Amino acid sequence: LKHPIRQLKSSKWFKSNSIGSMLTRTYSQKFEMGYPENQRNPVIVCYRRTPFGEVGGSFKYFSAPQLAALTMRVIGESLVYVGSHEVEEVILGQQFTAGCGYNSTDLAMTLAKMSPNTISTTISQGDNSGMKAIIAASQSIRLGDRKIIFAGGVESMSNAPHIQTYARENTKEREAIQRQTGKTEATQPLMDIIDHDYTQCPNEKVSWAEMMDQFSTTRLNLTQEDLDTYAERSYTRFLRANEYNHFAWEMTPVGSEQVQVTRDEAYFKHRMGEWREKEPLHETRGKLGSLNAYNTTTPADGAAMVCIMDEELAKYKYFSPEHYIRGTLEAKVRKTDTGSAVASAIKKLLEKTNLTKKDIDFFEIHENYANVPLLAIRELELEPHRVNVWGSNIAIGNPVGAGSARLVVTLCNILTRREGRYGIAVSTSAGGNV
């Protein structure tokens, strides 16, 4: 890429025109969506993401607001004829906000030297956080409430804290007991916030992985071999995309001029070695499950973001809008039926947009676990060569707040490089939201 990261202390980043090449291929026809005529057309004019670093890797000293600020600055630099004061809102998804300060999006905007009058919003909805931010932004522009919005997601899972419950209430009581007896009362153990707020279902008292495993084995009789085969395909496609440098069009290097992180870390540091064990993660009804470290995603650090503008304003600003957001949809299923959420959402979205699955050139489906896209492929009878064509979260890694936003970023990149017309990005959260 031709735009090296400048230091965050630079205050004139929006005045830089370091990126001048804009995509020119466009489909400019108006879409008949059943919306009133006065509603606007939201378009994506710029998309960027950081490399995804492994937990405890290159980004372990970067907070989530810092990662978001870096991405925000690069997008701002690429928007020729757009000033920071013209960005009306920034919406970011982030699951683990503890320790990031009050409203981490606002802190990221401060680090990026954005206008103090720009509205900041943080959304927490698990794996759907980044996608929800993009949907909210597109809806605001479609309704005419906003003209320019930065939307996406960020996560620093390396800095997700451990917590202790009831610590504040018991402090004085423990001190009194210690003064009287000379002994320290036992305290509550520390809990990993990732395990407590992400991997476990509080209602069913089991892990989301086990719940997904039960659904996939009973619904479509998916075996561990099926999931491992799909995971191997995701790794192979990811390596091929890296070999041809496809991700360079969407990725911004992070680091100094001497040392830069230019590719996703998780696969190249661990997943190529013996660490990728195929031992089952749990037992399901007395039997070994089919999910393992090989066919599930891995935690990561990173950010992904897009700039969404009103179509008429984008053309006025001399952009050639290429990626139109034709429609969005949100759905909910029972937690135990989360595996069916993707197929159900795609059906409803196709019906809403008056399209068929044959019209869709590419699908980007969130790979929390290998059975999520595999269930959608089998239930909808999708052509595998159109689903996650450059690999996905299993190989790339999954910063929870940013993983779904990356789907949109990568889909825009794929549609441009592969000259596709329609694409669908689908993210599913373990709670049944999609």
Side-chain angles (χ1 to χ4, degrees):
L1 295 178
K2 299 180 180 179
H3 49 282
I5 299 292
R6 297 186 180 89
Q7 297 297 321
L8 282 174
K9 60 183 180 182
S10 172
S11 60
K12 297 182 179 180
W13 61 276
F14 266 112
K15 296 182 180 180
S16 172
N17 296 334
S18 57
I19 302 181
S21 59
M22 303 304 297
L23 304 175
T24 57
R25 183 177 51 84
T26 179
Y27 298 101
S28 59
Q29 73 268 25
K30 301 292 182 180
F31 298 116
E32 296 182 1
M33 290 289 299
Y35 295 114
E37 293 183 359
N38 61 344
Q39 298 221 352
R40 320 300 293 177
N41 282 327
V43 296
I44 296 175
V45 298
C46 185
Y47 50 90
R48 289 290 184 274
R49 72 175 179 93
T50 67
F52 283 180
E54 66 166 344
V55 171
S58 298
F59 296 160
K60 63 182 178 181
Y61 297 118
F62 284 79
S63 67
Q66 288 173 331
L67 290 171
L70 288 167
T71 313
M72 209 177 298
R73 285 189 54 243
V74 172
I75 288 183
E77 289 179 349
S78 67
L79 297 179
V80 186
Y81 307 119
V82 175
S84 62
H85 63 281
E86 296 181 86
V87 181
E88 297 171 286
E89 187 173 7
V90 177
I91 309 175
L92 292 182
Q94 184 185 358
Q95 173 69 4
F96 306 111
T97 58
C100 291
Y102 181 78
N103 193 354
S104 57
T105 302
D106 190 70
L107 178 55
M109 291 167 53
T110 302
L111 294 173
K113 306 296 182 182
M114 293 195 64
S115 169
N117 297 322
T118 301
I119 299 170
S120 59
T121 305
T122 305
I123 294 176
S124 177
Q125 200 185 69
D127 286 302
N128 292 347
S129 300
M131 184 79 75
K132 177 65 175 179
I134 295 174
I135 290 175
S138 67
Q139 290 172 341
S140 292
I141 289 179
R142 195 181 297 280
L143 292 173
D145 291 337
R146 303 279 188 270
K147 296 293 185 182
I148 305 176
I149 300 177
F150 288 0
V154 64
E155 204 72 76
S156 177
M157 300 184 76
S158 294
N159 293 301
H162 288 67
I163 61 173
Q164 185 181 53
T165 57
Y166 307 114
R168 187 173 291 104
E169 294 181 7
N170 297 335
T171 300
K172 293 183 179 180
E173 182 179 343
R174 288 200 304 270
E175 291 177 352
I177 294 175
Q178 187 174 6
R179 284 195 301 268
Q180 293 175 6
T181 64
K183 298 180 180 179
T184 303
E185 185 73 8
T187 60
Q188 293 288 334
L190 289 176
M191 293 189 299
D192 184 354
I193 197 70
I194 295 178
D195 184 60
H196 184 268
D197 287 3
Y198 180 62
T199 63
Q200 300 294 320
C201 175
N203 302 101
E204 303 296 331
K205 305 301 181 183
V206 297
S207 68
W208 293 114
E210 183 175 351
M211 191 179 300
M212 283 294 300
D213 212 349
Q214 292 177 0
F215 182 87
S216 62
T217 54
T218 57
R219 181 75 171 262
L220 289 177
N221 297 321
L222 295 179
T223 64
Q224 179 176 336
E225 184 179 359
D226 295 328
L227 303 188
D228 289 345
T229 301
Y230 176 87
E232 184 64 35
R233 184 169 64 197
S234 182
Y235 295 131
T236 302
R237 292 178 174 181
F238 171 73
L239 286 175
R240 187 182 302 119
N242 271 276
E243 180 182 351
Y244 288 98
N245 211 26
H246 290 323
F247 291 117
W249 295 92
E250 67 187 54
M251 193 181 298
T252 178
V254 176
S256 63
E257 294 183 358
Q258 291 76 23
V259 180
Q260 287 190 340
V261 181
T262 59
R263 63 181 184 178
D264 302 302
E265 286 187 333
Y267 182 89
F268 294 103
K269 283 205 171 183
H270 285 301
R271 299 229 161 193
M272 295 180 71
E274 296 300 325
W275 178 83
R276 288 157 51 186
E277 296 293 338
K278 296 186 179 182
E279 293 297 325
L281 296 177
H282 55 261
E283 291 187 3
T284 302
R285 296 177 182 177
K287 300 180 180 179
L288 293 177
S290 56
L291 289 173
N292 51 47
Y294 184 77
N295 58 41
T296 61
T297 188
T298 182
D301 306 328
M305 204 174 302
V306 299
C307 175
I308 306 177
M309 296 178 64
D310 172 71
E311 178 190 9
E312 292 186 4
L313 179 61
K315 292 180 177 179
Y316 178 78
K317 294 285 187 180
Y318 301 103
F319 292 102
S320 297
E322 181 174 68
H323 303 291
Y324 288 76
I325 300 179
R326 177 162 182 174
T328 60
L329 182 137
E330 297 176 79
K332 180 74 164 66
V333 298
R334 291 186 304 175
K335 293 179 176 62
T336 53
D337 295 338
T338 301
S340 65
V342 171
S344 175
I346 291 176
K347 289 178 183 178
K348 292 178 180 179
L349 184 59
L350 291 174
E351 181 179 352
K352 178 181 178 180
T353 54
N354 299 319
L355 296 172
T356 67
K357 63 182 180 181
K358 293 182 179 180
D359 296 321
I360 309 303
D361 297 299
F362 302 104
F363 295 85
E364 278 294 308
I365 300 177
H366 205 301
E367 290 179 352
N368 317 60
Y369 314 104
N371 49 17
V372 174
L374 197 54
L375 283 166
I377 290 172
R378 293 197 176 183
E379 288 193 20
L380 296 176
E381 298 181 351
L382 302 177
E383 297 175 345
H385 68 272
R386 294 187 177 187
V387 179
N388 297 346
V389 295
W390 291 350
S392 195
N393 302 77
I394 289 177
I396 296 174
N398 183 39
V400 180
S404 57
R406 185 207 60 81
L407 297 177
V408 178
V409 170
T410 301
L411 180 60
C412 290
N413 193 8
I414 291 172
L415 288 173
T416 301
R417 307 275 82 75
R418 302 282 291 270
E419 298 185 351
R421 184 169 188 179
Y422 294 112
I424 292 180
V426 186
S427 172
T428 179
S429 178
N433 291 295
V434 62

